Each structure stands twice: as C-alpha cells, then as structure tokens.
Amino acid sequence: LILGFVVWIVHSLLVQHYKKQRALVDRLVDRVDNRDAGLRGAVPRRSALPGDESRLEVDFSDNTHDDDNYGNEQELGSTLRSLEPPEPSSVELRDVTVREELPRVSRRNEANRGDVWIPRDWGTRERGKNAEADAECFPGDRDADSGDRVVIPIEPLYRKVGSGCNKRETIPGLCDVLNVLLPGDGIERAVMLVFGGEKHQDTIALALAAADKTGARAVLFVASDDDAAATAAKENVPYIQPDCDGPCGRPEYVAAAAILSVGSDVLLVGRGVELRGPNPLINIPGLRGADVEGVTYREGMFGDVVGMSDPAMGWSAYSQSMAVPNILSSILLLRATGESIRLAVWLGEHRDDVDADVALTDELLMPAHDARQRSGATFRLLPPKCFRHHKSGAAVVEAAEGFPVKSWHGDEKSMFSFGNRAEDPNKILSSETFDAARSVVLRDGPIGAEDDDGNCAAVVMRDRVGPEPRALRYIAAPDGDFPVNCDSDLSQLCKIVGRVAVKRQVLAAVSNSNILYMLGLFLDGVAAANITNTIVVALDQKTADWCKERGAPYYHRELKSLTGATDNHATSGLKFRVLHEFLSVGVSVLLSDVDVVWMRNPFGGSRLVVPTIESDPDRVHVDAPAIYGDSDVEGMTDGWDDVSAYGFAYAGAGGTPMRRLAARNSGLFYLAATKESLRMVSRLAERMATERNTWDQTAYNEEQVWMWTSEAPTAGNRRSVPAGVSQRVMNYACFQNTKYLFRYMRYDPELYDGASGRSLRPISVHVNYHPEKPQRMVTLIEQYLKGERDAISKWNWGEGMAFAKPCLARPKNSKEGDALMEESELARQILKRMSVSGEPGTWAGIKGFAPGEKGALVTPWGDGKWGVIPPKEVDGDDRIFVDFSGAKHMVHSDQDRNGRSSGELHLISTRCTDGEKVDIVL
C-alpha cells in the first residue's frame, strides 16, 4: 500500500510537470512562428523611375533568408541550471560551434568564456505599473515601419533551450538566463545591458532603477571584472561578465555580441543615462529596416553640407564637405543581425585613442578606406519623442552627456572662435598629412626608374583590419545568368554589356556632342591603360556616330535634363538614370566623367611600360585590381590628404561634436550591382528629375551620409528612406583629383622627382579642380602616356601656368641686369661654353643659337636678347630669359643630361605663352 501510494504521487507529479513543459513549448513555438510570419510577410518593394516607359520592376526583398535552425531542436526539459553565482572552478567549458554566416564573438574559439547570473526570484518579482506603460513613441504610426529596407535577423535561439542555443552561446548558461529574462509570454523586445565607468556602485544603481523604476525585467549589469560581478551579486542585481582572454576594450560590446549571437536584440544603457519612467524595453521600436538605432548629440541635426573657401585655388576656391553629428554611445539599440554582431565584436575587442562616441560613429557612418574595413551595419535614429540626447525632455530615455570634441589639429582653444561657437570650416585647408595614403602606394618600396611606379592595387585580404564587411546583395546571382532583366526595353544594353563586360564590370562614361574633344582624350587614356571593358553612353546621335566611327563601344540613350541644358553639369545629373539601367541588368559600373585621364586598369590587367625602356621596349606591366568589391559604393574623394579624405573631428553649430570629411566626387565612383546601389540611384534619378537647384554631387553625398530619422527620412525631397549602401572612399593618391596632384604630390620627394622622371603612376587623374580641363588632360597624356619628363610642371597648382609670372619677369634696368649676369652661375656657364667652343649651339635641333656678352643674342630667326631673371621672382632659382621674334622664354639647366655629358651644356627652354619646351645644346 505504501509503495503504491508513493508511485501514484510520483506519477501525478510527472504528469503535471509534462503538462507545464508542453504548454511552455506551445507558447514558444507560437511566438517564434508569429515572428517569422511577420518577418516574411512583408510585400516586396517594386520600384520604377517616374516617366520610364519600360517600368522595369526590381524586387528589393531579400531571397537569402532560410528556415534552417542553428542546431537540432530538442524537447524542452528541466535544463535551467542553478541560478546561484557559480564558483570559478565550477564553470563548465563547452566547445563552440558557429555557422559560417555569423561571426565568432570570442577571441578563443576552443571554449566558452565569461559568466552570467540572475537572482533566483528575478523572473517573479513585482514589476510595477511602468512595466507595460506605452509612451506612444510613434504618433499615428509615423515611420514606424522599415521603409521597405531589408534586414535579416538571427533566429531567437534562446527560446529553444537545447543543443542549438547551447552550441551557439559563448558565455556558459546564457541561453538559460535569456529564457528567464525574455519568456515566451513576455512583451519586452530586447535585453538591457547597463554599463558604466570605474564606479561599479553607480552603474549597479542604474540597473536597479531600470528594474524598480521602469519595471524592466530583461536587465543585466555588465561586470568588467570579478569585483564588479561580486558587488552586483551582493546587491541582488543580474550581471553578465564577458571574458576577452584579457582586458576587454569595451566589455559592454563583448557582452552585447554574445547576446546578439543567440538571437536577442540588445539595448545598451550607459552610466549617466536618465530613465524617465516607462519601460524602455517595450517602447523601443520593432525591427524596421536598420541594424542599429540610436540618438545623436544634438536633436534635429541629421547631416550638414559644410562649404570651404580656398581663394588660392582660384576657379575652384569653393568646395564641399559633409558632416554628421556624433552618435551617442550611452543609448544604443543593436538588432540581432550578423552586421550588428561584427560591429559589436570589433568595438568590444579593440580600443584605440578615440572616445566611444567617435568609435561608434566612425564604424556606422564613415566610409571604409584602404586596409580599414567597416561592418556595413545600417543606422537609424530612435523615435525622438521617447529617446533623445542629454537634458532634452525625452519621454522614455535621455542619453548621457556626450564626449567633447577632440580636434584633429590639437588646438582646442581655437575651435570655437567661429560664429555660434562653431569651428572655422576653413581650418581643415591647412591640413597636409599624407602618411596613410603614401604607405599604401609605397608598400613595395620606393618609387624608382622604369616601372617601379608605385602600387595602387587593393590591399590584400590578410592585411585588412576592421569588422568583416556584410555580404553584398547582388541583383544577378553570382552563379546565375548574366545579364538579367533583358526582356524589357534594356535588351540593347544587355547585348552591349554581354559583349563588353569583364567579370560583370564595365567602365562607363556619359557624353554628348558638346565635349567630343575631351571624350577623345578620355578614350586615349583608356586605350593606353588597356581598359577594354569601356562603354560610352551617347546622349545624342552625333556622339553615337562619332563613337561608331572611332570603333568605341557605345550605348545610345537620349535623355534631357530637368532644365533642358546640355552643359557639363546638366549632363552630369543624367548619369543616375543611366546607372539605374546598367545596374538593373546586373553589371557593376565604374562611372567616369570624360575629364579623367586613365593610366592604369582599375579592374586589373596588363599595359605597356611608358616611357619605353631602351633595353626592353616591349616590357609589359601587370596591375592587380584596385576595386575592393566589399562595399556597394566606392568613390573618389575631393580630399587632398588623410585627414580631409578619410574623416576628422569637427565642432559644428553650438559646439556640436561631428565627424566630417571632404565630399566624394560624383564624377568618378564604382557601384556594385546590388539592390542597395540600385535603390540609391533610383532615389538620385528622382531627385535630379524633380529638384531644379540641386547639384548632383551634393545629392550623391547626402544619400550616403544623411541619417535616417523618424522626423525627416532623408535629405532632398524626403519621399523615401535612404538606400542603406555600404561605402568606401578610394585612395586619393591612386584615384587623384588635380588639387592633390598639382598642389601636393608633385612636391612630395617620396612620390615625384620631375628632373629624374620618377613619379607615382596613379590609376586616374580627374581634372576637377581646374578650368583648363582639356589642356591639362593633354599634359597628363604627354607625361604619363607618352613619356615626356615633368610635363606637368608648366601648370600652376591654382589657375593658369606655373611659370606665367616668373617667365615674364625681367630686370628693372641695365644696371640690375649686369649685376645679375655676374652673380648667375648658369650665365657664367653659358658664356664659358660659348667661349670654349667658338660655335653657335642648337635650339630645338636647329643650329645657329649663340648667346654673347652683355646680353647679345643671335638666333636662326633673328637677333634677340638674353639675361638673368631676378631670383626673387623664381623662388631663388637660377633662371635665364631668352627673348626673340616676339616670343619670351625661360631657360634652366638640364641637370640630368649635364651630369652624363662632357663637352656640352644642355638647357631646357619653356615658352611663356603656352609652356612648350625645347632643348638647347651649346
């Protein structure tokens, strides 16, 4: 009887236990199914440009999401471990199994590390009225949706306690704890990680306030060390203690990466944050098209066009830069996506000399460059009614005070001398720092003779640093058909692309008949660089006929600008409609204006070495690809040094800490054929068709820099959300603008020596900073494609010829002229040579040139005069003037030839009117 009674009791307990567990499983499955249905139930976005008769439809939805689990789902059992703080020796280390699609979140792959703990009664404690208080963060549901942007979330594995989650977790017991913090019948949308500085007690108090004041359940204090963990346990506060195999750079991000990797969103809340009352974890928005959401230093600032004035540049005195306010690191919502995990891992394991706000802003908003990668995580501002900056009156959370600006030039006192406590926007014009770009082009050694002319290839993968970039979402599947979407009006383009494209890439230039001369120079460079996959987009019949006669591949597409104008700027604005068509058929495009001279193949390839090497006239140089292919957009910069091109700290209006960089040029950029790139050019084409006074370059930069906010979705017409492209800025020493070339590079002894003919050979030079476009293109072709030594020296780094003023300078009177003749070493050499030889020399190979005493001159074209140019007019150099037949010339010694020749004096003359150079031999 006693035995039967005991068996009956045990059986009853097991039945009750089974019913509870089965009910729990049903709730979890229902919740997961509902979430999956919500994620997959959105209607794909169909986009077509206004006025486009073809109405080409492109599906912006993502097709890569699958239903695979990260491990075998098992029946839920009594797996919840003891929730008492474990002794260090009792922590079980388990192997980590990680799918290739997701990054590892621990430096040590062989074992799980760290600790997580919650009090035994945490899940059942009284939570108060604020726990479910709706702060109505989205009045009228304004911008509460995703804007049709696709973000791929990770499956919430913590709701399936078993091998799938346990294999993924990197902190022992994390899945079990999350299952308690975020139960299947709960309404909280993320785990709140409370972190702070050295004073653990203050941060623990904030964690307690989060639980007691707001009623939040899913709260974990981030313990940076054992003492912090012990203090939290003593105060009965849940904690998570990540282990980075040493000190963590930023432990809050390491902890966040661990939680994100098992499928839970994370809300980071830093010490100094003010919790206003309503539970933040039910008032944060649902998944809505961005990997990360946060707040900025100043409300209402989403991006700024900052103009600069450099009068010394003359025609191009005005230039643009872009600035964005810093993202505050004290309140940040991270979605459970691969991009967020890679971002968190990088920020957690690496700590440099910048503050947390700058580090976060750079990773989310600044472009990749050279070896420095970015994760490609997309960003959106949290709803401003509920989440705002410090002391702003937010309804739910106010961020802590942001870090102050730390200037790039180190003089903080001078930063706020400009109006409205802002920094002088022209201060950056004094920056001349070239180490980063220079180190890339000189990685194979110094610039030398023959074809030792620098390395502009993309940095190899093993040498790159930063989080792994997100995978690009190509329009045409890499292993599928190409080109695609050819059944529409794009059939002709498909034929051309199919014939010309190399590795699904083309170089494209848009031109009309107004600029055929420059188009010819452009194609001369393309031919010399052996870029065979080049297509000219002919905007009129005359240009199409010209290309056909020359044998250049072309795509005839007649379009008109909004104003009907056909000048260079108007034509430039049409490029985005053309790019929409190219990307739609699946071809990636390197878009180039025609005022660009190409000297290397950016896609990689062979070319003849110029100037020709006498001992090896047929030598071929092979260039590796310079396109990285890890971003949707790779753009040339108008910046002239590391600071201006790659980004720097800037104090905006009211002293707002911002990140700023020179504008990227809309005349040269590469677009991968991705859904994000197509979305960007669709928006830009619409803006150019509707915004009469918008410069295409301004719009192009805004689309990449402007923040996405609930108040104003984007810059310009604000009709749709930004495209969310990942971005990279090209190396300015390889894809050069003419400010860098003429003002800086040619005076850099490591990269250029005109006398010996040593020069870095860039991939391209865009003549964007100077008005003498075709003339400077001719000079660049003469030097880099035909081998004429130091041909570019005749141009000033501002407007006009470099020698114009000194070339025309003459002594004030005969007395000054005689004195200068006596002081000039070059004049003495000329007179000595004439005295020794007794015969006239040659001018441009024609005999009869004879300079004599007292400035007398005999030439084959009549008598003239020669003398010494005042040294103060030529920066102290020794220069001779030679005037005859109404033409004025400036003459200098050819030191290279004179060093190799005995018995002859070699000189070089430059004509003052056009810079033509000729050789003189005495």
Side-chain angles (χ1 to χ4, degrees):
L1 288 174
I2 294 173
L3 180 60
F5 183 72
V6 170
V7 170
W8 178 78
I9 292 175
V10 172
H11 175 73
S12 299
L13 290 174
L14 288 174
V15 169
Q16 291 298 319
H17 175 74
Y18 173 79
K19 289 181 178 180
K20 290 180 180 179
Q21 294 293 73
R22 185 56 184 265
L24 177 60
V25 170
D26 291 340
R27 289 199 304 272
L28 289 174
V29 170
D30 289 342
R31 188 171 179 85
V32 171
D33 289 343
N34 289 338
R35 170 167 174 162
D36 288 347
L39 293 174
R40 302 189 183 106
V43 178
R45 176 176 184 267
R46 302 282 176 175
S47 174
L49 292 177
D52 190 349
E53 295 180 359
S54 66
R55 301 295 294 176
L56 174 69
E57 292 187 341
V58 179
D59 187 352
F60 284 93
S61 64
D62 190 274
N63 299 319
T64 62
H65 185 75
D66 57 48
D67 298 323
D68 292 342
N69 293 330
Y70 295 92
N72 297 322
E73 183 176 357
Q74 297 180 348
E75 181 178 353
L76 284 173
S78 302
T79 59
L80 195 63
R81 70 186 182 94
S82 172
L83 298 180
E84 295 299 326
E87 296 296 328
S89 60
S90 69
V91 176
E92 180 186 1
L93 301 181
R94 294 191 288 268
D95 291 338
V96 180
T97 302
V98 184
R99 281 183 53 147
E100 291 182 358
E101 294 91 323
L102 299 177
R104 296 189 182 277
V105 297
S106 174
R107 290 183 184 175
R108 294 179 57 119
N109 297 329
E110 71 275 11
N112 296 341
R113 304 176 64 83
D115 187 22
V116 62
W117 174 83
I118 58 174
R120 185 181 298 274
D121 62 345
W122 188 261
T124 59
R125 63 182 292 166
E126 186 68 28
R127 301 175 61 204
K129 63 179 182 180
N130 281 329
E132 299 183 9
D134 184 0
E136 299 182 352
C137 299
F138 298 97
D141 290 330
R142 183 184 60 184
D143 297 311
D145 63 8
S146 66
D148 298 317
R149 282 195 356 190
V150 176
V151 173
I152 308 301
I154 296 170
E155 184 181 7
L157 297 177
Y158 62 89
R159 292 175 179 162
K160 300 179 179 181
V161 178
S163 63
C165 188
N166 293 337
K167 288 180 180 180
R168 182 63 189 166
E169 69 180 17
T170 57
I171 296 177
L174 180 60
C175 293
D176 299 334
V177 169
L178 291 181
N179 197 259
V180 174
L181 294 178
L182 296 172
D185 57 353
I187 59 174
E188 294 183 346
R189 297 174 175 170
V191 174
M192 184 190 303
L193 292 184
V194 182
F195 67 97
E198 298 179 355
K199 295 183 178 181
H200 307 316
Q201 292 80 359
D202 292 345
T203 311
I204 291 172
L206 178 61
L208 283 172
D212 297 337
K213 183 177 181 179
T214 74
R217 172 190 294 176
V219 177
L220 289 172
F221 162 69
V222 179
S224 57
D225 54 36
D226 291 341
D227 289 340
T231 304
K234 184 178 179 180
E235 297 291 336
N236 226 32
V237 173
Y239 71 80
I240 182 170
Q241 183 182 0
D243 189 334
C244 301
D245 195 19
C248 297
R250 295 181 176 91
E252 65 272 20
Y253 286 107
V254 181
I259 295 172
L260 293 169
S261 67
V262 295
S264 172
D265 295 346
V266 171
L267 181 67
L268 289 174
V269 175
R271 187 165 64 88
V273 163
E274 181 70 24
L275 301 174
R276 308 298 295 178
N279 183 356
L281 297 181
I282 72 163
N283 283 288
I284 57 174
L287 188 67
R288 52 177 198 154
D291 299 293
V292 182
E293 299 195 33
V295 300
T296 62
Y297 190 93
R298 181 177 293 272
E299 187 178 353
M301 292 185 69
F302 315 126
D304 201 5
V305 178
V306 182
M308 299 173 284
S309 179
D310 189 359
M313 289 300 297
W315 177 78
S316 60
Y318 175 77
S319 58
Q320 287 185 340
S321 61
M322 297 288 156
V324 289
N326 286 358
I327 301 171
L328 298 180
S329 56
S330 60
I331 177 72
L332 192 71
L333 176 60
L334 296 165
R335 303 296 188 182
T337 66
E339 288 75 20
S340 292
I341 294 175
R342 289 190 288 272
L343 173 73
V345 168
W346 175 260
L347 290 174
E349 294 187 349
H350 298 81
R351 191 177 190 121
D352 44 31
D353 59 351
V354 300
D355 63 60
D357 292 353
V358 170
L360 177 64
T361 306
D362 281 358
E363 289 302 327
L364 286 172
L365 301 181
M366 292 291 102
H369 64 87
D370 298 325
R372 188 62 167 88
Q373 302 178 143
R374 305 291 188 196
S375 71
T378 52
F379 178 75
R380 181 175 186 172
L381 289 170
L382 283 164
K385 176 185 176 182
C386 295
F387 303 88
R388 289 187 184 179
H389 58 88
H390 188 58
K391 295 183 178 180
S392 60
V396 177
V397 178
E398 287 182 4
E401 188 173 4
F403 291 90
V405 184
K406 185 178 180 181
S407 72
W408 59 270
H409 48 76
D411 184 10
E412 270 72 21
K413 292 182 180 179
S414 69
M415 292 191 70
F416 306 108
S417 58
F418 204 66
N420 196 21
R421 292 189 65 246
E423 183 179 2
D424 182 355
N426 293 325
K427 180 74 173 178
I428 186 60
L429 297 173
S430 64
S431 179
E432 298 180 9
T433 304
F434 311 102
D435 294 340
R438 190 192 286 139
S439 66
V440 172
V441 299
L442 296 179
R443 76 191 100 154
D444 295 339
I447 303 297
E450 301 177 345
D451 61 341
D452 294 331
D453 49 10
N455 187 347
C456 277
V459 176
V460 295
M461 189 65 68
R462 66 176 178 272
D463 293 332
R464 300 183 196 177
V465 295
E468 180 184 351
R470 68 165 169 80
L472 300 184
R473 302 195 310 135
Y474 288 99
I475 293 168
D479 56 351
D481 294 337
F482 174 81
V484 295
N485 297 319
C486 297
D487 295 335
S488 63
D489 291 345
L490 300 180
S491 58
Q492 187 62 31
L493 177 59
C494 284
K495 292 179 182 178
I496 299 168
V497 165
R499 186 176 72 250
V500 176
V502 175
K503 296 181 179 178
R504 301 189 176 189
Q505 301 173 109
V506 297
L507 171 66
V510 180
S511 180
N512 61 21
S513 56
N514 291 344
I515 49 177
L516 288 181
Y517 177 64
M518 280 201 296
L519 178 60
L521 297 174
F522 169 85
L523 291 176
D524 289 343
V526 165
N530 199 25
I531 310 174
T532 59
N533 54 330
T534 301
I535 298 176
V536 176
V537 179
L539 296 178
D540 53 44
Q541 187 62 51
K542 185 176 180 181
T543 304
D545 294 341
W546 184 93
C547 290
K548 185 176 182 180
E549 182 177 351
R550 180 158 174 154
Y554 68 93
Y555 172 50
H556 186 190
R557 184 71 165 92
E558 298 207 8
L559 299 169
K560 290 185 179 181
S561 66
L562 178 62
T563 62
T566 58
D567 58 82
N568 193 38
H569 271 300
T571 302
S572 184
L574 298 173
K575 67 184 65 169
F576 301 115
R577 291 183 64 84
V578 174
L579 286 169
H580 183 273
E581 297 176 1
F582 274 77
L583 296 178
S584 295
V585 302
V587 66
S588 299
V589 184
L590 178 57
L591 190 282
S592 173
D593 282 353
V594 298
D595 57 344
V596 176
V597 177
W598 290 93
M599 304 167 190
R600 298 180 189 253
N601 190 335
F603 306 109
S606 60
R607 55 177 170 79
L608 287 173
V609 174
V610 177
T612 302
I613 302 171
E614 293 182 6
S615 61
D616 188 7
D618 296 325
R619 180 181 295 186
V620 171
H621 185 99
V622 178
D623 292 310
I627 302 298
Y628 282 74
D630 62 355
S631 305
D632 297 302
V633 185
E634 300 182 39
M636 168 205 155
T637 176
D638 280 350
W640 57 90
D641 78 331
D642 299 341
V643 180
S644 60
Y646 301 149
F648 58 98
Y650 172 68
T656 302
M658 306 184 81
R659 301 300 285 170
R660 180 180 161 201
L661 76 168
R664 277 155 284 179
N665 196 281
S666 62
L668 181 58
F669 56 90
Y670 175 84
L671 292 179
T674 64
K675 297 178 181 181
E676 284 74 18
S677 295
L678 182 61
R679 186 171 179 135
M680 185 183 80
V681 298
S682 299
R683 289 172 42 77
L684 286 167
E686 181 183 5
R687 291 187 61 182
M688 291 299 98
T690 56
E691 299 175 19
R692 183 175 294 270
N693 297 318
T694 298
W695 184 22
D696 68 285
Q697 179 158 304
T698 302
Y700 164 72
N701 278 271
E702 287 174 344
E703 291 301 323
Q704 297 179 73
V705 174
W706 243 242
M707 292 187 182
W708 183 13
T709 168
S710 297
E711 292 179 293
T714 183
N717 58 30
R718 302 182 177 181
R719 294 178 183 174
S720 57
V721 302
V725 293
S726 56
Q727 47 184 316
R728 169 178 284 275
V729 63
M730 293 170 166
N731 185 296
Y732 61 86
C734 293
F735 295 87
Q736 294 187 5
N737 60 65
T738 45
K739 179 175 183 176
Y740 171 70
L741 171 63
F742 287 105
R743 188 168 182 173
Y744 298 108
M745 193 206 83
R746 66 173 173 174
Y747 300 114
D748 186 338
E750 292 191 59
L751 301 182
Y752 192 85
D753 185 346
S756 66
R758 291 190 308 107
S759 174
L760 166 68
R761 186 184 189 91
I763 293 172
S764 62
V765 175
H766 187 183
V767 189
N768 62 318
Y769 268 100
H770 296 89
E772 314 91 358
K773 291 179 179 292
Q775 296 88 345
R776 294 199 185 222
M777 290 180 71
V778 168
T779 305
L780 289 166
I781 290 172
E782 289 174 346
Q783 175 161 327
Y784 288 100
L785 304 185
K786 296 182 179 180
E788 182 178 331
R789 184 172 299 177
D790 201 27
I792 63 174
S793 64
K794 70 181 182 182
W795 292 104
N796 186 16
W797 54 257
E799 288 185 67
M801 299 286 189
F803 53 81
K805 183 177 179 180
C807 190
L808 298 173
R810 299 293 181 266
K812 296 179 181 179
N813 48 52
S814 59
K815 182 178 180 180
E816 181 185 12
D818 293 342
L820 291 173
M821 289 284 275
E822 292 180 3
E823 296 171 0
S824 170
E825 175 63 24
L826 183 56
R828 287 195 294 270
Q829 292 178 8
I830 291 173
L831 291 173
K832 180 179 179 181
R833 186 67 223 149
M834 294 303 299
S835 174
V836 171
S837 68
E839 296 183 2
T842 61
W843 176 285
I846 301 173
K847 194 164 186 177
F849 180 76
E853 298 284 349
K854 301 294 184 181
L857 176 65
V858 177
T859 78
W861 303 276
D863 294 343
K865 185 177 182 180
W866 73 286
V868 178
I869 296 176
K872 65 181 180 180
E873 300 293 343
V874 286
D875 297 327
D877 294 331
D878 198 356
R879 296 289 186 266
I880 302 298
F881 70 83
V882 175
D883 301 338
F884 62 89
S885 297
K888 298 180 183 296
H889 309 80
M890 180 169 62
V891 176
H892 67 276
S893 173
D894 187 343
Q895 296 179 355
D896 186 52
R897 292 186 182 179
N898 288 332
R900 293 184 280 106
S901 174
S902 60
E904 291 181 338
L905 179 62
H906 292 264
L907 308 171
I908 298 176
S909 169
T910 302
R911 187 160 58 193
C912 296
T913 54
D914 59 5
E916 183 183 52
K917 296 180 183 292
V918 298
D919 293 329
I920 304 171
V921 182
L922 300 177

